[in-house]
């Protein structure tokens, strides 16, 4: 037994998910211990739960588990060097390369290996396993090579109809192969499904195009003349023609090291361990699939993680012990919803079964309860697993309601409560209880589901617990006095998506009408731009027309990107990054004539910086005359479509990515959305356009296009996930149309596509069913939304130039139109001019009183304008009731003269102005700083403003 209250030299053999969990738990502990993790695969520990994602484009790096663990100076990670032998007497392990590592405590986390029955021909070329990243690579290469050699789609067979077998079958389909699933039992997922669930699953899997053969076995695998696999003979005598075979018939613990070193082995294999996970040698422990506890080897990550936690606690003198919890299983990566937990076959004495099957909707739900119908013993869900995450934690506990209430259509899962006992395990993968989740909120200050996931690791593995996790977090926040609301702001008590639906189906088409029907007050910097975006998405006029101009925030205010000194950048559209030499000359001449800083942007365009607001129309006129249009770089809309040269120039290109990119950019230009979105189109799998880092990514294949959605760069980068594969040009455009239209309809305010996809109920499988399969019959409606945008598109720059009323808003000072911003200053750097921050944020004294500066009709209601008073810039604001308020033009936090370009609103009924720079808010009547946004509050100077009987506006100090 241990003679210390902390570990010394710890060695973990195996570098899988459970080993990673062990390392995470150990790194969280103080001490001068040292950890060495040794893995035989050439990769750092990766997410095997989502192994199938590697088929659809995710790389080893994408699947890598939190790499920061290995940054701890107390930790060494060795990959690609298997442990060959264990010497318990000398307490050392020796790797295949000859490296000898000493240990004080050894943790075996060697996992399992795929078991293949003694089937004739199982060693033929083309018979593969589905267990590791390298297996995925071999499958992908084999299918591609055979398809090329045969000149037709590959025919595949998967032997084994369990969870992993179905995932393997879906993977083959994703690679373009046809698939037959061969299962010895009388149903798919025989361990996790009862007869009814198995039949429902068979129907759904068959709908996916898989051929399912149950109650049969693979008797032998046959070879063709070239020695490669060409068929599978079934136990029924039938011969299936195939080109690839994947065996997924179970696993066996990898216990060779333990056996050869004389450790105790379980009856069915595996390192024999007790409740502390200690082996027959007190210095050797075993966790995960290689460990035999009560003569069972767990084949899931959740019990392995629980074992890892126990061993870490034991190493520090704790008393934790491992007890196998009832398993829960959720099918992933197949496009079919299926999940189960507990006693699915109702083997518990006296157990009752309550079922509900809907053959039309193709759903099946069953609960297994105790003989008094009170205690939940198990559940099976196929076709609709919404109840799974909420009910699984109640296993072995009182349901609190009639079981049938949970299953009937009118029940809808509503009875499930988030008010669970603290000891209920909500996330079985990471072994996180309801009490731990609540503690993350109440004791560690977590204020969102994302923060709780980071703090506790709940919901970060399979993700099935996230719906219940969200309920618990929100309920805990509410009980802590933190209001959890979907209200957009104080003016609209609903989310952006709800408001969009209301506006879309109503006749209200101005902010005044919308706020009167669905909100209150004057609006603010949150809701006014949202309404502006909704109206633009619905094609309601130009963004600077009088009833919309006052809603536009920061960049949309003047159709250009506001920069730190109050000037603007001008970025014309260059579809696909293409531009002619003649147009390049125009850009160069404009930049030279206006003294603009020029650079290539990250979106394959040329940006010109430093344009004053009064210069914008003149610059646009020359650009429009040369054939350019607005690049929409300022809007919450399509920014650009990045691309490579594709098959036009590149020797590797398989499709014309440039033409497709230009087509997409011209189609979606100006499309307003909840957040900016970007598109990438790559001409081959080399992915030079970095399409999977975009909201919509298109990657060429030999058969067409794969489309990925939900990616982004920025502060929290996210790789896009595959939505559909091998699409022709027209189908590709339709699928993207549907995706963007649904995103615009249902996303939250400023929600990018990545979190929207991640949070979408049912996830990618649900989006695929709606957008690709058109399960709900709304595809044509979504496509029509985009067609209306395409038909109604006008270049916002050109439309502004053609309208004198819109052009008036580009005058810096109404009473001195020839004057420009007096505080702009520049310094040379590398041959160009860059802005100098104004060193003095003080204000010039003003002595003038009651000076006429403009007429009331010169001012747009609820919008600002600039004037000069004794040469000092002043911001004027005309409210809806025709009152005029005046404050200093200079933003006291940035020093830029921009406040007249801010958003008018109200807070608690008081009129406010929000800076376009960094969103600080002031009371327009008193100048009080209401929200300093991370700064020390600084109030604004307020000027007296009146309107005389002739409609003239007078201001004074």
């Amino acid at each position: 037994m241990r003679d210390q209250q902390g570990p010394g030299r710890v060695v973990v053999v195996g570098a899988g998910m459970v080993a990673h969990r062990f390392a995470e738990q150990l790194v969280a502990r103080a001490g001068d211990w040292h950890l060495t993790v040794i893995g035989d695969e050439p990769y750092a520990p990766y997410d095997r739960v989502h192994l199938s994602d590697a088929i659809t484009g995710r790389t080893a790096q994408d699947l890598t588990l939190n790499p920061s663990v290995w940054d701890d100076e107390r930790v060494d990670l060795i990959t690609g060097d298997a442990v060959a032998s264990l010497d318990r007497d000398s307490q050392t392990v020796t790797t295949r390369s000859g490296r000898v590592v000493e240990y004080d405590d050894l943790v075996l986390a060697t996992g399992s290996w795929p078991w293949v029955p003694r089937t004739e021909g199982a060693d033929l070329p083309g018979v593969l396993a589905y267990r590791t990243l390298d297996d995925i690579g071999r499958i992908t290469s084999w299918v591609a090579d055979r398809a090329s050699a045969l000149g037709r789609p590959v025919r595949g067979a998967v032997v084994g109809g369990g969870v992993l077998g179905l995932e393997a079958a879906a993977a083959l389909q994703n690679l373009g192969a046809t698939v037959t699933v061969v299962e010895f039992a009388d149903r798919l997922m025989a361990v996790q499904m009862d007869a009814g669930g198995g039949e429902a699953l068979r129907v759904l899997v068959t709908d996916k195009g898989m051929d399912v053969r149950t109650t049969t076995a693979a008797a032998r695998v046959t070879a063709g003349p070239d020695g490669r696999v060409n068929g599978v003979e079934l136990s029924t005598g039938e011969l299936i023609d195939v080109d690839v075979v994947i065996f997924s018939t179970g696993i066996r613990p990898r216990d060779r090291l333990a056996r050869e070193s004389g450790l105790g082995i379980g009856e069915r294999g595996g390192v024999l361990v007790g409740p502390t996970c200690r082996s027959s040698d007190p210095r050797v422990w075993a966790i995960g699939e290689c460990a035999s506890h009560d003569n069972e080897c767990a084949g899931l990550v959740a019990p392995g993680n629980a074992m890892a936690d126990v061993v870490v606690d034991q190493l520090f003198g704790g008393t934790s012990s491992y007890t196998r919890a009832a398993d829960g299983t959720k099918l992933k990566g197949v496009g079919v919803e299926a999940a189960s937990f507990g006693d699915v076959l109702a083997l518990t004495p006296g157990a009752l079964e309550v079922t509900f099957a809907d053959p039309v909707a193709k759903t099946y739900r069953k609960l297994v309860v105790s003989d008094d119908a009170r205690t939940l013993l198990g559940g099976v869900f196929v076709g609709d697993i919404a109840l799974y995450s909420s009910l699984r934690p109640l296993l072995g506990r009182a349901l609190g309601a009639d079981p049938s209430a949970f299953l009937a259509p009118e029940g809808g899962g509503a009875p499930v409560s988030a008010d669970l006992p603290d000891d209920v395990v909500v996330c079985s993968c990471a072994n996180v209880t309801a009490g731990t989740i609540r503690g993350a909120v109440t004791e560690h200050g977590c204020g969102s589901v994302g923060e709780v996931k980071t703090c506790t690791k709940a919901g970060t593995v399979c993700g099935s617990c996230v719906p219940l996790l969200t309920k618990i977090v929100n309920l805990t926040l509410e009980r802590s006095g933190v209001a959890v609301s979907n209200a957009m702001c104080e003016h609209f008590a609903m989310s952006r998506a709800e408001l969009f639906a209301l506006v879309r189906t109503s006749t209200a088409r101005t902010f005044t009408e919308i706020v009167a029907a669905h909100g209150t007050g004057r609006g603010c910097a949150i809701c006014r731009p949202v309404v502006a975006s909704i109206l633009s998405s619905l094609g309601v006029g130009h963004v600077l027309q009088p009833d919309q101009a006052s809603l536009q925030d920061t960049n949309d205010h003047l159709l250009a990107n506001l920069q730190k000194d109050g000037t603007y950048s001008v970025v014309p559209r260059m579809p696909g990054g293409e531009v002619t030499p003649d147009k390049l000359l125009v850009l160069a001449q404009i930049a030279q004539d206006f003294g603009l800083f020029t650079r290539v942007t990250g979106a394959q365009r040329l940006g010109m910086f430093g344009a004053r607001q009064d210069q914008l129309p003149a610059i646009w006129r020359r650009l429009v005359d040369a054939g350019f249009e607005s690049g929409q770089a300022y809007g919450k809309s399509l920014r650009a479509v990045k691309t490579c040269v594709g098959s036009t120039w590149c020797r590797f290109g398989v499709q014309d990515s440039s033409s497709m990119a230009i087509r997409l950019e011209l189609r979606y230009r100006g499309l307003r959305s909840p957040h900016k979105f970007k598109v990438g189109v790559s001409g081959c799998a080399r992915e030079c356009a970095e399409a999977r880092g975009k909201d919509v990514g298109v990657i060429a294949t030999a058969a067409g296009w794969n489309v990925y959605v939900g990616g982004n760069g920025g502060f929290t980068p996210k790789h896009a996930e595959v939505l559909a594969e091998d699409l022709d040009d027209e189908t590709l455009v339709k699928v993207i149309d549907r995706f963007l239209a649904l995103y615009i309809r249902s996303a939250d305010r400023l929600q990018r596509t990545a979190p929207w996809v991640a949070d979408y109920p049912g996830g990618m499988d649900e989006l695929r069913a709606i957008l690709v399969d058109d399960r709900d019959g709304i595809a044509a409606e979504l496509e029509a939304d985009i067609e209306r945008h395409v038909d109604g598109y006008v270049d916002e720059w050109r439309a502004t130039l053609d309208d004198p009323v819109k052009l008036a808003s580009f005058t810096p000072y109404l009473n001195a139109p020839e004057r420009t911003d007096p505080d702009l200053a520049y310094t040379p750097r590398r041959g160009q001019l860059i802005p100098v921050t104004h060193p003095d944020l003080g204000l010039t004294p003003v002595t003038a009183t009651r000076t006429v500066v403009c007429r009331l009709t010169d001012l747009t209601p609820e919008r600002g304008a600039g004037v000069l008073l004794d040469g000092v810039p002043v911001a004027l604001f005309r409210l809806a009731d025709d009152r005029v308020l005046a404050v200093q033009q200079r933003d006291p936090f940035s020093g830029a003269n921009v406040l007249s370009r801010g958003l008018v609103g109200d807070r608690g009924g008081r009129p406010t102005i929000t800076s376009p720079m960094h969103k600080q808010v002031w009371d327009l009547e008193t100048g009080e700083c209401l929200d300093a946004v991370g700064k020390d509050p600084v109030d604004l100077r307020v000027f007296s403003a009146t309107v005389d009987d002739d409609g003239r506006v007078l201001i004074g100090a």
Side-chain angles (χ1 to χ4, degrees):
M1 304 298 290
R2 296 202 55 78
D3 56 1
Q4 61 188 73
Q5 292 299 305
R9 298 168 299 178
V10 182
V11 174
V12 177
V13 180
M17 295 185 72
V18 173
H20 184 272
R21 170 73 174 203
F22 180 90
E24 273 193 323
Q25 295 299 306
L26 195 60
V27 164
R29 304 271 190 143
D32 58 358
W33 48 262
H34 186 273
L35 171 67
T36 304
V37 177
I38 307 173
D40 57 350
E41 291 188 75
Y43 316 103
Y46 58 86
D47 183 359
R48 293 184 192 273
V49 173
H50 296 95
L51 184 66
S52 297
D53 291 353
I55 288 286
T56 56
R58 295 190 72 186
T59 65
Q61 183 177 0
D62 297 331
L63 293 172
T64 297
L65 298 171
N66 178 16
S68 65
V69 172
W70 317 116
D71 296 336
D72 193 295
E73 61 183 9
R74 300 169 294 179
V75 180
D76 287 327
L77 172 64
I78 300 170
T79 59
D81 194 8
V83 172
S85 62
L86 161 60
D87 187 334
R88 294 195 290 119
D89 292 332
S90 65
Q91 292 187 195
T92 61
V93 293
T94 303
T95 69
R96 186 169 47 208
S97 68
R99 181 189 280 115
V100 178
V101 184
E102 298 178 331
Y103 68 82
D104 296 313
D105 286 279
L106 180 71
V107 181
L108 297 176
T110 48
S112 61
W113 53 272
W115 175 75
V116 177
R118 295 181 179 177
T119 305
E120 181 183 346
D123 57 349
L124 289 173
V127 179
L128 304 169
Y130 192 85
R131 188 71 178 162
T132 68
L133 273 173
D134 286 341
D135 290 337
I136 297 295
R138 282 187 282 268
I139 292 169
T140 303
S141 298
W142 181 270
V143 171
D145 291 345
R146 294 304 289 157
S148 177
L150 296 170
R152 58 167 172 76
V154 168
R155 300 167 300 198
V158 175
V159 182
V163 173
L164 200 60
L166 291 177
E167 289 184 19
L172 284 177
Q173 281 191 323
N174 285 331
L175 293 172
T178 60
V179 185
T180 298
V181 178
V182 179
E183 171 54 47
F184 180 74
D186 63 350
R187 61 190 182 277
L188 297 174
M189 288 178 61
V191 176
Q192 296 88 11
M193 292 284 137
D194 64 342
E199 175 59 21
L201 181 58
R202 183 194 63 77
V203 171
L204 292 175
V205 167
T206 301
D207 287 347
K208 286 291 182 181
M210 298 181 193
D211 182 19
V212 178
R213 310 294 181 89
T214 54
T215 322
T216 189
R220 69 187 182 101
V221 181
T222 63
D226 59 359
R228 298 180 175 89
V229 61
N230 79 340
V232 173
E233 183 180 329
L234 304 182
S235 57
T236 60
E238 181 183 2
L239 182 65
I240 303 174
D241 295 328
V242 298
D243 310 300
V244 60
V245 177
I246 296 176
F247 274 91
S248 182
T249 47
I251 58 174
R252 297 293 184 269
R254 296 178 64 188
D255 55 16
R256 179 188 62 80
L257 277 178
R259 288 178 183 273
E260 293 179 354
S261 65
L263 289 173
I265 301 297
E267 293 179 7
R268 301 177 182 178
V271 185
L272 195 61
V273 299
T276 63
C277 298
R278 183 182 273 109
S279 73
S280 55
D281 182 333
R283 291 295 188 183
V284 180
W285 317 70
I287 59 178
E289 294 171 342
C290 71
S292 174
H293 178 265
D294 285 345
N295 282 316
E296 286 189 1
C297 292
L300 300 170
V301 68
N305 285 344
M307 290 179 175
D309 294 352
V310 166
V311 174
V312 170
D313 185 63
Q314 287 280 332
L315 289 175
F316 282 87
T319 59
S320 296
S321 61
Y322 170 73
T323 301
R324 177 71 182 272
D327 292 337
T329 303
K330 177 183 175 183
L331 185 63
K332 304 173 298 300
V334 180
V336 172
E337 290 195 334
S340 68
F341 61 86
D343 183 10
V344 298
L345 300 179
L347 300 178
T348 303
L352 303 176
E353 298 176 86
V354 183
T355 62
F356 180 86
D358 185 342
V360 176
K362 299 179 182 178
T363 61
Y364 176 88
R365 300 193 289 271
K366 180 178 89 168
L367 295 183
V368 181
V369 294
S370 58
D371 55 3
D372 61 0
R374 293 182 178 180
T375 303
L376 181 62
L377 302 177
V380 179
F381 307 93
V382 179
D384 178 5
I385 65 171
L387 290 172
Y388 169 75
S389 66
S390 297
L391 289 177
R392 186 197 56 73
L394 296 178
L395 186 64
R397 297 173 183 266
L399 267 176
D402 183 342
S404 62
F406 292 89
L407 302 183
E410 62 270 19
V416 178
S417 172
D419 200 8
L420 300 172
D422 281 348
D423 63 336
V424 171
V425 175
V426 173
C427 176
S428 60
C429 294
N431 195 31
V432 181
T433 64
T436 301
I437 293 169
R438 295 187 184 104
V441 175
T442 59
E443 299 173 21
H444 299 284
C446 295
S448 68
V449 173
E451 291 176 1
V452 171
K453 290 170 71 173
T454 300
C455 178
T456 66
K457 305 302 180 186
T460 59
V461 182
C462 77
S464 64
C465 66
V466 170
L468 181 57
L469 171 68
T470 301
K471 291 181 182 178
I472 295 173
V473 170
N474 288 344
L475 181 60
T476 306
L477 286 169
E478 289 173 356
R479 290 178 174 174
S480 300
V482 179
V484 179
S485 170
N486 67 345
M488 187 160 47
C489 62
E490 67 176 273
H491 306 99
F492 288 93
M494 73 274 293
S495 68
R496 179 225 171 249
E498 292 168 325
L499 182 61
F500 186 97
L502 290 170
V503 175
R504 186 171 69 89
T505 56
S506 74
T507 58
R509 288 298 181 267
T510 67
F511 182 81
T512 301
E513 293 171 341
I514 292 169
V515 78
H518 308 297
T520 61
R522 178 178 281 109
C524 63
I526 293 175
C527 62
R528 293 174 76 88
V530 168
V531 171
S533 175
I534 290 173
L535 292 174
S536 292
S537 296
L538 295 174
V540 184
H542 192 278
V543 297
L544 295 186
Q545 67 188 36
D547 58 1
Q548 289 193 43
S550 63
L551 310 178
Q552 308 303 332
D553 186 21
T554 306
N555 297 331
D556 285 307
H557 190 91
L558 292 177
L559 308 181
N561 277 58
L562 180 64
Q563 302 302 320
K564 62 183 289 185
D565 63 345
T567 63
Y568 290 85
S569 63
V570 177
V571 186
R573 185 176 308 286
M574 291 183 182
E578 293 186 6
V579 59
T580 65
D582 287 344
K583 286 187 174 181
L584 279 176
L585 288 173
V586 171
L587 288 172
Q589 193 62 57
I590 291 173
Q592 188 173 65
D593 291 348
F594 288 89
L596 305 179
F597 179 98
T598 59
R599 73 183 306 272
V600 178
T601 71
Q604 294 181 320
R605 296 171 171 178
L606 284 172
M608 297 177 287
F609 295 73
R612 301 190 310 268
Q613 70 177 94
D614 60 296
Q615 294 175 325
L616 290 174
I619 294 171
W620 294 345
R621 172 61 67 193
R622 291 175 60 173
L623 289 171
V624 168
D625 289 347
F628 287 103
E629 66 177 22
S630 166
Q632 226 66 48
Y634 47 82
K636 295 292 187 274
S637 60
L638 173 70
R639 286 300 171 90
V641 180
K642 186 175 181 179
T643 186
C644 60
V645 296
S647 59
T648 305
W649 289 96
C650 180
R651 66 186 187 278
F652 299 109
V654 295
Q655 300 287 350
D656 185 359
S657 57
S658 294
S659 294
M660 178 54 70
I662 292 171
R663 176 179 179 180
L664 295 178
E665 183 158 354
L666 295 180
R667 184 170 186 79
Y668 305 125
R669 58 187 171 179
L671 179 62
R672 289 307 202 283
S673 55
H675 201 289
K676 67 182 179 184
F677 67 96
K678 302 177 182 180
V679 180
V681 183
S682 287
C684 73
R686 292 164 66 88
E687 248 284 74
C688 293
E690 301 170 333
R692 290 202 59 208
K694 303 294 187 290
D695 299 272
V696 176
V698 179
I699 301 177
T701 71
W705 305 97
N706 291 350
V707 59
Y708 299 78
V709 296
N712 63 249
F715 186 72
T716 54
K718 176 75 166 59
H719 266 93
E721 301 177 59
V722 67
L723 178 63
E725 297 180 290
D726 294 333
L727 305 178
D728 59 46
D729 289 6
E730 299 308 316
T731 306
L732 171 69
V733 172
K734 287 182 178 181
V735 169
I736 298 175
D737 280 0
R738 299 169 189 173
F739 173 77
L740 292 175
L742 185 62
Y743 165 63
I744 290 169
R745 286 187 179 188
S746 61
D748 202 356
R749 166 185 169 266
L750 298 182
Q751 185 179 37
R752 293 206 66 169
T753 60
W756 177 73
V757 168
D759 293 344
Y760 198 86
M764 186 57 72
D765 289 340
E766 180 72 6
L767 284 172
R768 192 173 292 114
I770 295 171
L771 302 176
V772 181
D773 303 333
D774 194 20
R775 184 199 61 199
D776 297 346
I778 63 171
E781 183 181 322
L782 295 173
E783 292 169 25
D785 286 353
I786 303 300
E787 284 296 344
R788 280 192 293 272
H789 163 75
V790 174
D791 294 342
Y793 172 78
V794 294
D795 174 26
E796 291 173 350
W797 286 354
R798 180 184 291 275
T800 301
L801 294 172
D802 293 340
D803 188 336
V805 174
K806 295 185 180 72
L807 286 175
S809 62
F810 292 84
T811 301
Y813 305 111
L814 296 180
N815 61 338
E818 75 290 349
R819 296 283 298 275
T820 59
D821 190 335
D823 294 327
L824 295 178
Y826 299 90
T827 186
R829 188 179 72 179
R830 294 191 292 272
Q832 300 197 81
L833 296 178
I834 62 171
V836 175
T837 301
H838 199 280
D840 179 15
L841 298 186
L843 296 175
T844 304
V846 176
T847 59
T849 58
R850 294 188 56 78
T851 301
V852 175
V853 291
C854 65
R855 301 192 65 80
L856 182 63
T857 53
D858 295 330
L859 301 174
T860 302
E862 302 288 292
R863 198 176 195 217
V867 295
L868 291 177
L869 182 64
D870 267 3
V872 174
V874 175
L876 288 184
F877 300 92
R878 176 184 175 184
L879 304 185
D881 58 7
D882 285 343
R883 279 192 301 154
V884 177
L885 301 175
V887 297
Q888 68 188 61
Q889 173 75 316
R890 180 179 291 173
D891 177 346
F893 297 111
S894 69
N897 290 312
V898 294
L899 289 186
S900 66
R901 302 173 228 167
L903 271 168
V904 176
D906 73 59
R907 181 173 294 186
R910 306 269 308 172
T912 60
I913 180 63
T914 300
S915 170
M917 279 294 184
H918 301 295
K919 308 308 178 189
Q920 286 89 2
V921 182
W922 291 269
D923 186 312
L924 263 180
E925 292 180 318
T926 66
E928 178 187 0
C929 185
L930 303 178
D931 186 354
V933 189
K935 306 284 187 179
D936 292 330
V938 179
D939 294 342
L940 298 180
R941 176 192 290 176
V942 175
F943 296 87
S944 170
T946 58
V947 180
D948 66 16
D949 293 340
D950 293 329
R952 299 180 304 173
V953 177
L954 300 88
I955 64 172

